[in-house]
Amino acid sequence: KVVVDKAITLDLNGYTVTSSDRKALEVYANVTIKNGTVVAKERAVDTRTAVELVLDSVTLEATSAGNNQPLTIGGYENGTVVTVNNSTINAGKAGYGIITFVEADITVINSIITGYAALQFKAGSDNSVANFEGSVIETTSYAGEVFGAFVFDNVLGATVTTDAATTITAESYVVLFSTADSTNNTANIAGTISATNSVYGY
């Protein structure tokens, strides 16, 4: 893996960075990544402290057989701001396109997110906000089990919003709340929706 600990713009110039490690880029500073592809076994980009991360015309891929998290917002410090523009995040059938463990502000514009879940708010990501604009969300079942395009997992005060130009196709729920989360979080879902199961699962 490569540790990014200084503020930089990383222009991949059309190339692909491939890591045989669990992670490809571990981020500790503000960074813009653009114009290329980053591939890792589980986490293509993993933020470890509060940073500003911009993905512009980038593809993130995770290739392992399970627990893929190509964009991981992690560490222990709240306040990470993520902008995903004109990009693709592919978790395959066995993972979560975007997963956050801390409070984060996430904006996804004109991008494609695929996986077992497109976005999962994990415990610790209370009060996170995620907005999807003009994007394509595609989620699938895995090993006969279904999940959700947007998953709230033991989190409080989180909000996800999709605009009318967003398309959601799910072999699962569109929004899935874990126990009691349905009364503590907000999902404002618009756009074109095609789901195998009901729109909201509990």
Side-chain angles (χ1 to χ4, degrees), residues 15-201:
Y15 287 96
T16 298
V17 174
T18 301
S19 172
S20 59
D21 196 356
R22 180 167 168 256
K23 301 180 183 181
L25 301 176
E26 192 172 81
V27 175
Y28 293 86
N30 296 344
V31 62
T32 295
I33 305 168
K34 62 182 184 178
N35 302 328
T37 299
V38 182
V39 181
K41 286 184 176 180
E42 291 182 10
R43 301 182 179 190
V45 175
D46 183 358
T47 65
R48 304 307 302 163
T49 188
V51 299
E52 294 182 14
L53 171 68
V54 176
L55 301 176
D56 188 5
S57 302
V58 169
T59 296
L60 304 184
E61 293 184 3
T63 61
S64 74
N67 199 36
N68 294 341
Q69 303 170 18
L71 176 53
T72 302
I73 305 167
Y76 299 96
E77 188 174 346
N78 291 326
T80 290
V81 178
V82 175
T83 302
V84 180
N85 181 57
N86 193 36
S87 294
T88 297
I89 299 176
N90 181 14
K93 289 188 174 183
Y96 320 95
I98 303 170
I99 189 167
T100 183
F101 297 87
V102 294
E103 180 186 339
D105 187 333
I106 304 163
T107 302
V108 179
I109 305 167
N110 297 330
S111 295
I112 300 170
I113 315 294
T114 62
Y116 186 46
L119 168 67
Q120 186 172 17
F121 296 109
K122 291 290 287 183
S125 62
D126 300 346
N127 303 312
S128 289
V129 176
N131 293 296
F132 291 78
E133 303 172 14
S135 293
V136 174
I137 307 300
E138 298 178 350
T139 61
T140 60
S141 60
Y142 176 65
E145 297 182 5
V146 296
F147 205 39
F150 307 108
V151 178
F152 296 79
D153 186 4
N154 296 309
V155 61
L156 301 174
T159 301
V160 63
T161 301
T162 65
D163 73 355
T166 292
T167 299
I168 303 167
T169 303
E171 289 182 17
S172 58
Y173 299 100
V174 172
V175 178
L176 182 63
F177 297 105
S178 64
T179 304
D181 285 355
S182 60
T183 59
N184 296 315
N185 300 286
T186 303
N188 304 305
I189 305 299
T192 302
I193 299 170
S194 175
T196 301
N197 294 308
S198 59
V199 174
Y200 298 94

